[in-house]
Amino acid sequence: MKIVEVIAEKGSGQTLETLAGKVKAADFRRLEVDGERMQRYRMIIPDNQLQRVLDALQSFLGAQASSRILVLPVEISLPKPNEAEREAEDATPAAREAIFGEMEKMSRLDRNYVLLVLLSTVVAAIGLIEDNVAVVVGAMVIAPLLGPNLALSFGTALGDRHLVGRSFLALGVGAGLAILLSAGVGYFWPETIDSFELESRSRVGLDSVALALAAGAAGALSLTSGVSSVLVGVMVAVALLPPAAAVGLFLGQGKWIAAEGSALLLGINIVCVNIAAKLVMLARGYRPRRYYEKERARRAMIRVLVGWVLTLVILVLLAYRL
């Protein structure tokens, strides 16, 4: 369940009570008066009705500049829900607004993001050079490159150009910094780098495509279902940072063919994550609230999916040419 508190004009009570009845709210209360014009209302609603309630409230309260909608989680509810209610709750995707807040954080290009990219690149470069699997896995976990990819897919599903632009920028800056820093490490490394972990990042196959597609779908599903702990495994599985670090190391060492292979692997991972995440977002029903926005987002999603698929085909053909 969720507690939805609404601060709205006093005359809104009847409409809000009707809405609470339509969604079978467990409780509806008129709370204290907030000033001369505003009043606080509270309803307790099941999770599977949260998106419907939020859409209705935003449409109804759009003309009330001073209105506020607050959503609070219910940690414990007694008596316990029955089996059917628990199954319905588990199958309910997270509200669009909740996911949007997470995606905005993931696409934020700030000091913490840049520092995490730089630190994880150093860790990945050392792990690849020393052929240390544990260190490479550690770099995968702390690298923040998965976030912008998922935010990019969500922004496309909603037709939110601002979120898409921020995600592209964060992804481009992160990958660029990782390649530049690792290229410097490779150039100044006193010996020729020859390790299995590094060489394995220069080979691309259909297994790489399948892995990235599955991991991208798992990442999107974990976010939309609220099982955020799965993301750690997805970060390891997708492994966006090690290929980027491998590109830089190979460039720094002057191994151009191997650098091209690593670049193809990085590109295939990014494309596959976006394709899979977009399909999950569509399947889970994430679309804009207004009709005209839905049409615009649908057209944009089709164009983007076609573009990503064509890009994937080209990358795979280039990989097999190598």
Side-chain angles (χ1 to χ4, degrees):
M1 295 181 179
K2 291 290 187 296
I3 297 174
V4 179
E5 287 198 358
V6 180
I7 301 173
E9 296 177 358
K10 294 178 181 177
S12 306
Q14 186 58 50
T15 302
L16 296 179
E17 188 171 2
T18 301
L19 174 62
K22 288 181 178 180
V23 299
K24 298 180 179 180
D27 187 64
F28 176 81
R29 302 288 177 96
R30 288 177 170 86
L31 304 180
E32 70 274 9
V33 176
D34 190 0
E36 296 182 359
R37 295 176 51 248
M38 310 300 288
Q39 185 169 1
R40 188 182 299 267
Y41 306 88
R42 174 183 291 174
M43 63 181 80
I44 302 176
I45 61 172
D47 275 346
N48 58 2
Q49 295 294 328
L50 179 59
Q51 191 65 70
R52 178 184 176 186
V53 169
L54 291 178
D55 289 346
L57 288 176
Q58 289 176 85
S59 299
F60 172 62
L61 301 174
Q64 299 184 23
S66 301
S67 65
R68 276 286 179 270
I69 303 170
L70 307 174
V71 180
L72 308 174
V74 176
E75 296 294 338
I76 299 174
S77 175
L78 298 174
K80 294 181 179 180
N82 57 41
E83 187 65 27
E85 290 173 335
R86 280 198 297 268
E87 290 178 358
E89 180 182 348
D90 292 340
T92 302
R96 182 197 312 118
E97 289 76 11
I99 298 296
F100 188 84
E102 290 294 321
M103 295 301 176
E104 276 199 317
K105 294 178 184 177
M106 289 183 171
S107 63
R108 193 173 296 162
L109 182 58
D110 54 14
R111 182 184 304 175
N112 290 332
Y113 177 83
V114 172
L115 285 175
L116 279 174
V117 169
L118 295 177
L119 293 173
S120 58
T121 301
V122 171
V123 174
I126 293 174
L128 292 172
I129 292 171
E130 299 295 333
D131 212 4
N132 191 320
V133 179
V135 175
V136 175
V137 171
M140 296 176 189
V141 174
I142 63 177
L145 296 184
L146 178 63
N149 281 279
L150 295 177
L152 178 60
S153 300
F154 189 72
T156 306
L158 296 186
D160 191 314
R161 296 179 180 177
H162 179 66
L163 183 58
V164 169
R166 285 181 53 176
S167 304
F168 259 124
L169 180 61
L171 178 60
V173 170
L177 285 175
I179 293 173
L180 286 174
L181 180 57
S182 55
V185 173
Y187 182 79
F188 289 105
W189 196 258
E191 303 172 357
T192 300
I193 303 173
D194 186 17
S195 70
F196 173 79
E197 284 295 317
L198 181 58
E199 293 297 328
S200 66
R201 263 73 185 187
S202 64
R203 295 190 292 269
V204 185
L206 292 179
D207 57 333
S208 304
V209 176
L211 173 63
L213 285 172
L221 189 61
S222 68
L223 278 174
T224 57
S225 60
V227 190
S228 57
S229 59
V230 177
L231 278 179
V232 175
V234 173
M235 290 172 184
V236 175
V238 178
L240 294 176
L241 185 71
V247 173
L249 290 173
F250 283 130
L251 290 175
Q253 293 269 298
K255 299 179 179 180
W256 313 114
I257 301 299
E260 186 177 350
S262 296
L264 285 173
L265 178 60
L266 175 62
I268 286 174
N269 280 351
I270 291 174
V271 171
C272 288
V273 167
N274 276 276
I275 291 174
K278 283 178 175 60
L279 293 176
V280 170
M281 298 293 179
L282 284 176
R284 300 287 277 179
Y286 286 102
R287 295 171 179 83
R289 179 168 55 91
R290 300 182 180 90
Y291 174 77
Y292 68 90
E293 292 177 340
K294 290 181 181 179
E295 285 299 305
R296 185 179 64 188
R298 184 183 64 83
R299 292 193 295 268
M301 177 66 82
I302 292 174
R303 291 194 298 268
V304 170
L305 271 175
V306 171
W308 280 127
V309 171
L310 290 177
T311 303
L312 178 60
V313 171
I314 293 171
L315 291 175
V316 171
L317 290 176
L318 287 173
Y320 276 91
R321 176 185 62 82
L322 292 176

